[in-house]
Amino acid sequence: MQLALAEAARAGSDIPVGAVVLSPQGDVVGAGHNVRERDGDPTGHAEVVAMRAAAAVLGEWRLTGCTLVVTLEPCTMCAGAAVLARVDRVVFGAYDDKAGAVGSLWDVVRDRRLNHRPEVIGGVLAQESTALLDGFFAGHRDFGRTDDVR
């Protein structure tokens, strides 16, 4: 999670969310942070960036045996991408009551109708993850962006 927090700190003008993908052996095979604002990309969430990088390193889209570690509970898009990529586990820091899809608002990753259900471990270094987000939004409240957690 420390590596994901370091990625989040690199987000610049984007909301500070960071993610890493660990191989089955525990090596970092992908890393990313939010790039929506920087790239003008609605799919530029940290999890998607990290999973794309991991797929490039591993040479395939299936991330079987891998762990996705992210500082904020994944949204529906990212939770769905983790399921479709076949990651074995999702580890996250801060819970997201407004858009979380790994237990808070929805539970996409444990939906029995889907063909894959990763293990979930939530709340890892949640205070540190929340502090990054709180610091970011404290500086942006004058711009009316506090309702957009992602």
Side-chain angles (χ1 to χ4, degrees), residues 47-139:
E47 301 94 313
V48 172
V49 173
M51 286 188 284
R52 283 181 182 151
V57 166
L58 298 173
E60 66 173 306
W61 63 267
R62 288 179 192 88
L63 302 179
T64 306
C66 292
T67 299
L68 172 64
V69 181
V70 60
T71 59
L72 180 65
E73 180 182 359
C75 68
T76 53
M77 175 181 69
C78 296
V83 168
L84 293 173
R86 312 291 197 272
V87 298
D88 276 16
R89 78 195 45 77
V90 175
V91 177
F92 68 90
Y95 286 85
D96 184 354
D97 294 335
K98 292 182 180 180
V102 186
S104 289
L105 189 57
W106 296 287
D107 201 353
V108 171
V109 297
R110 288 180 279 232
D111 189 321
R112 295 208 174 271
R113 296 169 290 183
L114 299 175
N115 64 341
H116 179 73
R117 289 179 295 284
E119 172 188 7
V120 175
I121 302 168
V124 177
L125 296 182
Q127 289 179 334
E128 292 83 345
S129 299
T130 299
L132 271 177
L133 293 165
D134 287 347
F136 176 84
F137 285 115

